Amino acid sequence: MILPLTLEDVAYASGGQPIIRGVSLAIEAGPSTIILGANGAGKSVLMRLMHGLLAPTAGVIRWRESGARRCQAMVFQRPVMLRRSALANVTYALELAGVPAAERERQALAALEEVGLGQLAARPARVLSGGEQQRLALARAWALHPEVLFLDEPTANLDPGATREIESVIRAFDAAGTKIVMATHNLGQARRLGDEVIYLHGGRVLERAAIGQFFARPSSAEAAAFIKGEVPWT
Ligand SMILES: Nc1ncnc2c1ncn2[C@@H]1O[C@H](COP(=O)(O)OP(=O)(O)O)[C@@H](O)[C@H]1O
Ligand SMILES: [Mg+2]
């Protein structure tokens, strides 16, 4: 178990500009955690700090167990695909994770089946639709059986049908025991997928609450305005 992940007074600045300010929190196994906030609140930077793609400029980020990067995966708003088949994109991820060559194809096909892309295994990844590419990104993560999956606005560019398909794959990860940490500015998606909300504003955590409580009784004026749609976002 690599969880909990703890952040102690974490800050991130770029060019002297503070982006994340004094964030302290623990991410525990179990509930699906939604990082909610308006555009520019710092959700993506916070997720990258958690996943280890950025180093904090102050403070400490600690996993219960270090050196276990295989147990975490991240899916981005825009999936990055290799110029190879869907299948090869997944077997490559397995290769990087140190899975023996003889086992990669079977595991990759199982992951593609899981996300509903079994029929498209041989198709070049770059010709897949946006929703299919995002499911392929989820298949790459699925194949690794991560303990934690970070998702950064995974459906921001997708239509409602593709969004529903992605959400059902995210539920499957949750059902398989993967901890979900998802950044979104989509209130409906937060309600559908989240158990708890971490509300970010101006690089600070303003509140953290169970999903029902957050929507019924937000404790900050900023979150209340965001829920009412008074904070502009795209
Ligand atoms: N690498 C970077 N260098 C400088 N500023 C950045 C960088 N990444 C993000 N920012 C800025 O930090 C703020 C938070 O960005 P971001 O985490 O992308 O917000 P969100 O994901 O909540 O929309 C924004 O003002 C953005 O312009
Ligand atoms: Mg973002």
Side-chain angles (χ1 to χ4, degrees):
M1 288 282 285
I2 58 172
L3 291 168
L5 167 68
T6 52
L7 284 75
E8 289 167 20
D9 213 10
V10 166
Y12 183 81
S14 175
Q17 200 62 28
I19 296 173
I20 295 295
R21 312 161 195 241
V23 169
S24 295
L25 48 82
I27 300 287
E28 312 274 356
S32 293
T33 301
I34 303 292
I35 308 216
L36 192 66
N39 261 347
K43 301 181 296 297
S44 293
V45 171
L46 182 61
M47 299 276 286
R48 285 168 185 272
L49 287 164
M50 288 178 174
H51 191 47
L53 298 175
L54 290 173
T57 42
V60 179
I61 299 180
R62 194 180 294 119
W63 293 89
R64 201 187 79 155
E65 212 181 280
S66 57
R69 280 194 55 87
R70 265 197 64 179
C71 301
Q72 47 184 110
M74 184 158 172
V75 168
F76 301 90
Q77 187 171 334
R78 283 173 225 285
V80 183
M81 297 295 151
L82 300 176
R83 284 180 191 284
R84 300 187 199 169
S85 68
L87 179 67
N89 269 270
V90 184
T91 54
Y92 182 65
L94 290 166
E95 183 181 346
L96 292 183
V99 173
E103 293 165 32
R104 285 177 209 150
E105 185 161 320
R106 185 186 55 78
Q107 290 184 21
L109 283 170
L112 289 170
E113 288 293 340
E114 182 64 37
V115 304
L117 289 181
Q119 303 299 314
L120 302 181
R123 185 126 354 139
R126 303 246 173 161
V127 308
L128 297 176
S129 71
E132 288 163 351
Q133 289 199 18
Q134 199 57 297
R135 278 189 280 150
L136 177 53
L138 286 162
R140 284 193 302 212
W142 185 274
L144 305 176
H145 304 298
E147 191 177 325
V148 186
L149 177 62
F150 294 105
L151 299 142
D152 189 3
E153 310 227 21
T155 64
N157 298 321
L158 303 181
D159 65 35
T163 294
R164 264 197 306 280
E165 287 167 355
I166 297 295
E167 289 182 359
S168 97
V169 177
I170 294 169
R171 280 196 198 88
F173 272 95
D174 179 49
T178 294
K179 162 79 183 190
I180 301 295
V181 182
M182 182 171 74
T184 186
H185 61 241
N186 181 326
L187 297 173
Q189 186 161 64
R191 281 180 195 269
R192 287 191 295 277
L193 295 180
D195 297 314
E196 64 161 352
V197 172
I198 292 172
Y199 184 72
L200 208 60
H201 180 86
R204 290 183 211 280
V205 173
L206 284 199
E207 57 183 292
R208 180 177 195 173
I211 199 95
Q213 187 189 330
F214 177 81
F215 282 104
R217 291 179 300 282
S219 62
S220 64
E222 290 86 349
F226 183 73
I227 291 169
K228 281 196 235 151
E230 288 165 4
V231 179
W233 72 88
T234 56

